[in-house]
């Protein structure tokens, strides 16, 4: 296991280098000029060039990339062009809000997807399977922003049950207030994750019920529920581990659209603000940070495979 971890960590070096190179090239190729954020109507052309020189944007692209990469390796992701604050500081400050929201949504989706997927797969083509499939198809097809707007309209505007935006009520800093503000965005994200997870678990359950060990358990007199939740569930956890590993990147970036609709002060809304203001250092910092989390999530998934299925062993 130690060799696996070391080998995977070494493999992340060229991967991160490639990701950083592609992201930097795409950002530089994007239309717009970040210097325009500092330009005033009466500013002279020489002053504009002086601003460009101070930002280091008058150097060739490969030189800018080398400088940015060198600083990033030391933990310095640069400074925002909009508020002039360190990029890493802004990411760290907003990380708890996004991680809490996304973590709650993913945990809720997994807790609901496992029993629903198992029941749907065990009762294939029956009414419960059709109902779960209908819910999954609707959840996958409906855009998140439209679902978020519907939730705001019904639960905030019409029924006045829950707040529609923000993370805190002005003058309140209690945990209950944060939970109330997080119910709607968490529910929207959980529905999105749940729809995907249920489909994977259902498909895996159907294939596992055809295996020989299931027939052996029936021969030993085990009931359907015992086989389903004691034996089959261990095997259907493998695709869920993969999906959870891939979701690590989303724990950083969050659902940008959902955070924007609900004005949730997370990294997703920070990224949206950076895109609108052509704040290239923030965009690059968020992209690089989320890539690191995604790679670490895949590494964690590989490690968890061995615990979920002892038959999976690490070989030379």
């Amino acid at each position: 296991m130690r060799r696996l971890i070391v080998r995977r960590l070494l493999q992340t070096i060229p991967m991160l280098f490639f990701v950083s190179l592609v992201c930097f090239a795409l950002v530089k190729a994007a239309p717009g000029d970040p210097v325009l954020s500092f330009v005033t109507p009466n500013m002279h052309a020489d002053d504009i060039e002086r601003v460009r020189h101070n930002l280091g944007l008058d150097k060739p692209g490969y030189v800018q990339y080398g400088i940015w990469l060198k600083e990033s390796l030391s933990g310095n992701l640069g400074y925002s062009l909009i508020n002039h604050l360190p990029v890493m500081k802004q990411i760290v400050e907003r990380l708890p809000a996004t991680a809490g929201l996304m973590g709650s949504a993913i945990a809720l989706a997994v807790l609901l997807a496992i029993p629903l997927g198992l029941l749907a797969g065990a009762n294939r083509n029956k009414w419960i399977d059709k109902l779960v499939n209908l819910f999954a198809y609707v959840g996958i097809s409906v855009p998140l922003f439209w679902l978020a707007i519907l939730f705001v309209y019904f639960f905030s505007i019409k029924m006045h049950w829950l707040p529609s935006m923000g993370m805190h009520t002005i003058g309140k800093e209690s945990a209950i207030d944060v939970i109330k503000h997080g119910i709607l965005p968490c529910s929207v994200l959980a529905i999105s994750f749940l729809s995907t997870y249920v489909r994977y678990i259902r498909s895996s359950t159907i294939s596992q019920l055809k295996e020989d060990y299931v027939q052996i358990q029936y021969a030993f007199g085990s009931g359907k529920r015992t086989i389903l939740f004691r034996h089959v569930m261990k095997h259907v956890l493998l695709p869920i581990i993969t999906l959870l590993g891939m979701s690590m990147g989303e724990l950083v970036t969050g659902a940008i659209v959902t955070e924007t609709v609900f004005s949730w002060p997370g990294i997703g809304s920070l990224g949206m603000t950076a895109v609108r203001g052509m704040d290239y250092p923030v965009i690059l910092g968020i992209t690089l940070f989320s890539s690191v989390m995604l790679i670490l999530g895949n590494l964690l998934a590989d490690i968890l495979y061995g615990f979920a299925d002892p038959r999976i062993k690490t070989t030379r």
Side-chain angles (χ1 to χ4, degrees):
M1 185 62 70
R2 185 178 299 176
R3 292 183 179 181
L4 171 65
I5 296 175
V6 173
R7 185 169 67 251
R8 291 298 302 272
L9 289 177
L10 292 177
Q11 291 175 354
T12 61
I13 297 176
M15 192 181 303
L16 287 176
F17 173 77
F18 178 75
V19 169
S20 65
L21 182 61
V22 172
C23 292
F24 190 87
L26 291 176
V27 167
K28 296 299 293 184
D33 188 356
V35 178
L36 297 178
S37 302
F38 301 87
V39 174
T40 59
N42 298 326
M43 185 174 289
H44 194 268
D46 295 338
D47 297 329
I48 297 176
E49 292 302 321
R50 189 177 298 109
V51 171
R52 190 182 305 275
H53 175 74
N54 293 334
L55 295 175
L57 299 177
D58 58 339
K59 298 181 177 65
Y62 65 90
V63 176
Q64 296 182 37
Y65 173 74
I67 295 174
W68 175 77
L69 182 62
K70 179 181 177 181
E71 295 295 329
S72 299
L73 292 176
S74 63
N76 180 19
L77 298 179
Y79 291 83
S80 170
L81 300 179
I82 298 177
N83 52 29
H84 311 292
L85 295 175
V87 175
M88 180 59 74
K89 180 181 178 181
Q90 296 184 70
I91 293 177
V92 172
E93 288 178 349
R94 291 177 176 248
L95 181 59
T98 296
L101 177 62
M102 297 298 297
S104 302
I106 292 174
L108 179 61
V110 170
L111 291 177
L112 294 177
I114 292 176
L116 289 177
L118 288 172
L119 292 175
N123 299 275
R124 187 179 183 184
N125 296 328
K126 295 182 179 180
W127 68 270
I128 187 172
D129 182 33
K130 294 179 180 179
L131 183 63
V132 171
N133 275 329
L134 176 62
F135 172 81
Y137 287 135
V138 171
I140 293 174
S141 304
V142 173
L144 279 181
F145 75 90
W146 188 76
L147 184 62
I149 293 174
L150 283 181
F151 273 42
V152 170
Y153 177 76
F154 284 108
F155 296 105
S156 296
I157 298 177
K158 283 292 185 180
M159 301 180 181
H160 304 284
W161 286 356
L162 297 168
S164 61
M165 59 185 298
M167 186 175 175
H168 297 281
T169 302
I170 298 177
K172 295 183 180 180
E173 298 293 337
S174 63
I176 297 179
D177 184 62
V178 175
I179 293 174
K180 287 182 179 179
H181 282 80
I183 289 177
L184 288 184
C186 180
S187 300
V188 171
L189 293 172
I191 291 175
S192 175
F193 288 121
L194 176 61
S195 303
T196 304
Y197 293 169
V198 163
R199 295 293 299 165
Y200 276 94
I201 296 176
R202 175 187 178 273
S203 177
S204 182
T205 301
I206 293 174
S207 63
Q208 288 297 320
L209 289 176
K210 299 177 182 178
E211 298 293 332
D212 293 337
Y213 74 89
V214 174
Q215 304 303 322
I216 293 174
Q217 292 297 325
Y218 277 124
F220 285 160
S222 299
K224 186 175 182 180
R225 179 175 299 180
T226 302
I227 295 174
L228 196 63
F229 288 95
R230 181 175 296 181
H231 301 283
V232 175
M233 188 173 68
K234 296 179 181 179
H235 298 276
V236 302
L237 286 178
L238 293 179
I240 293 299
I241 292 175
T242 303
L243 293 175
L244 290 178
M246 296 174 61
S247 300
M248 286 296 292
E250 298 182 6
L251 285 176
V252 178
T253 57
I256 295 179
V257 175
T258 305
E259 288 190 0
T260 302
V261 172
F262 291 100
S263 300
W264 190 262
I267 298 179
S269 58
L270 175 65
M272 183 65 70
T273 303
V275 170
R276 288 196 294 262
M278 294 181 294
D279 197 348
Y280 295 160
V282 175
I283 298 174
L284 290 172
I286 293 176
T287 304
L288 185 62
F289 196 69
S290 60
S291 300
V292 172
M293 294 299 297
L294 178 59
I295 293 173
L296 293 179
N298 290 329
L299 174 61
L300 181 61
D302 289 341
I303 296 174
L304 292 177
Y305 282 149
F307 294 97
D309 191 347
R311 297 174 300 174
I312 301 176
K313 300 294 183 181
T314 304
T315 59
R316 289 190 177 183

